[in-house]
Amino acid sequence: MFTQRLKMNAEFEIDELPILAKGDVVVIGAGPAGSSAAAAAAAGGAAVLMLEKKEQIGIPVQCAEYVPLSLVAEVPVPTDCIAQRVEGFITYINREQVAQTRAPGYILNRDVFDRYLAERAVKSGVKLFTKAQAVAVTDQGVIVNEQGNLSMVKARIVIGADGPKSVVAQAMPCPPQVLAYAKQITVKLRKRSPWAQIYFSPSIPGGYAWLFPKNDLANVGVSIDLSLGGNVARALAEFQQYLIKEGVISKEVMRTTGGAIPIGGPRLRMQQKNLMLVGDAAGHTHPISGEGIFPAIVAGKIAGSLAVDSIRTGDLIVLAQYPRQYLTRFGEFIERGIKRKVEYNINWEKTDFPVLVRKTWFAFSEYFKS
C-alpha cells in the first residue's frame, strides 16, 4: 500500500525528497549476497552504500544454515560462525533410509555469519545504513523509508540483494519468481550427530523435510511447492511429532522461522542498465535443494567487481558480463536442477514416488543421467 501511494504521488514527491547519501554503488540488503557485493566493490575503490531494512543484521534467521565446505574458498568463515561440521546427509524416502551421501559442510550460526560479512564489508569501506528500507528504485535513485521518513540515495550502480520480492527486480521490471514456502523450528536434539537428514514424502509435495544438527540443537523444517498442494504448517507438525515419537528431538521449541525460497532458477534478467540482482533477488538458489548461500556470495563478488570495472571505465556495458560470468560458474549445475524440478512437477502423482525421488534428488545416480 505504501509503495502504491508512492507511485501515485511520485511526480511531485520525488524531487522534494532530501538526499540521504551519495555514492558510486548502492547495495540493497545486507545478507550474504549484499555484503559480498558491497565488500568487493569497496575493495576495488568504489564508494559503496549498503541499505538494510532490519535493525539487527541476521535476525531473524530465515535459513536451514547448511553450507558446503567449499564455501571457505570464497570467503573466510570464522569459528564462531560455525555451529558444527557435518559429514554429509542421509536421505529417507517414506521414512526409510535409502542413501548416505558424503558432502562435508558446516551448519552455520547464520545470524553470526551475516553480521560478520556485514562488518567485513564495513571494514572494507562500506557505509552501512540499518533500519533503512528501500521502497522504490527510480531514475533519480533509490527511495528509502527510515521509520516513516522518506529520503533519496543516489548512486551510479544499484545492486539488489533484497530477497524474492526485490524492489530492484520490480524496477527492471521482472516477473514474479516461482517460490516454495518453508517453515522451520529449532529444537533440542537428544543425541548429537555428524549427519544431516533429508526426508521425502508424498505429504510434502515438491519439497522435503530436514533435520540439520547444531550440536545439542537441530533445525527441523519443511519446504513445499504449493502449486502441487500441501500445507507447510501441517507437514511440519507431522514431521515434528514423528521425530519426537522416535526419540530424536525434544518437544520444546526454541525458535520458529520461515519464508519463501526461489525454485525457478536464475531470473532471465539479472542485469539491466545500471541495475544488477544477486542472491534470492536473482533466483540464485538450487531449484531442488533450495540451497543459496554459496551461489549468493559468489554472485555478489562478481557483481561488486564488475561494478568497480564499470565505474573505472565509465561504461555500463561492462555490467552485461554479469549474467554470463555467473552462468559460467553455475550454469550446468543449475540447468540440471531446473530440468529435474520440471520433471518432478510433471510426474507428480503420475510416477511411483520412490522412483520419482531417485530421478530428481542428487543423492542418486539417476539424477545425473541425461
Side-chain angles (χ1 to χ4, degrees), residues 22-65:
K22 294 182 180 180
D24 295 320
V25 180
V26 59
V27 178
I28 302 174
S35 290
S36 299
V48 183
L49 313 168
M50 184 161 63
L51 308 177
E52 171 53 54
K53 65 182 179 182
K54 300 174 184 176
E55 180 176 4
Q56 291 182 285
I57 291 171
I59 299 175
V61 172
Q62 293 177 291
C63 179
E65 303 182 292

Side-chain angles (χ1 to χ4, degrees), residues 138-170:
T138 73
D139 291 340
Q140 293 97 321
V142 178
I143 300 175
V144 180
N145 177 16
E146 291 185 292
Q147 298 179 295
N149 299 311
L150 291 182
S151 58
M152 179 77 73
V153 170
K154 290 184 175 289
R156 294 160 65 181
I157 294 172
V158 179
I159 299 177
D162 47 340
K165 298 180 180 179
S166 165
V167 296
V168 182
Q170 293 170 25

Side-chain angles (χ1 to χ4, degrees), residues 28-235:
I28 302 174
S35 290
S36 299
V48 183
L49 313 168
M50 184 161 63
L51 308 177
E52 171 53 54
K53 65 182 179 182
K54 300 174 184 176
E55 180 176 4
Q56 291 182 285
I57 291 171
I59 299 175
V61 172
Q62 293 177 291
C63 179
E65 303 182 292
Y66 189 169
V67 295
L69 206 62
S70 55
L71 181 66
V72 298
E74 299 296 335
V75 65
V77 183
T79 55
D80 62 338
C81 296
I82 300 169
Q84 79 161 75
R85 175 174 166 146
V86 289
E87 298 304 319
F89 56 90
I90 300 170
T91 300
Y92 298 80
I93 300 178
N94 295 327
R95 298 178 179 172
E96 177 182 350
Q97 181 177 334
V98 292
Q100 185 166 352
T101 306
R102 180 163 172 75
Y106 298 122
I107 307 298
L108 295 175
N109 294 314
R110 177 65 191 274
D111 53 343
V112 179
F113 184 61
D114 281 17
R115 286 196 297 272
Y116 161 73
L117 292 178
E119 290 166 2
R120 182 170 173 265
V122 169
K123 289 178 181 177
S124 298
V126 174
K127 187 172 183 180
L128 172 64
F129 297 83
T130 56
K131 296 189 289 185
Q133 182 174 11
V135 294
V137 177
T138 73
D139 291 340
Q140 293 97 321
V142 178
I143 300 175
V144 180
N145 177 16
E146 291 185 292
Q147 298 179 295
N149 299 311
L150 291 182
S151 58
M152 179 77 73
V153 170
K154 290 184 175 289
R156 294 160 65 181
I157 294 172
V158 179
I159 299 177
D162 47 340
K165 298 180 180 179
S166 165
V167 296
V168 182
Q170 293 170 25
M172 292 175 79
C174 296
Q177 298 192 87
V178 179
L179 302 172
Y181 291 87
K183 188 172 182 180
Q184 177 178 274
I185 55 176
T186 300
V187 296
K188 290 184 178 179
L189 189 61
R190 291 194 176 275
K191 183 180 179 181
R192 292 190 177 194
S193 172
W195 293 90
Q197 299 175 18
I198 303 292
Y199 292 78
F200 289 92
S201 166
S203 64
I204 310 173
Y208 58 87
W210 64 85
L211 184 151
F212 291 170
K214 297 185 69 175
N215 294 321
D216 295 324
L217 302 176
N219 289 334
V220 172
V222 167
S223 68
I224 285 180
D225 180 348
L226 295 181
S227 70
L228 300 177
N231 180 287
V232 180
R234 183 170 62 243

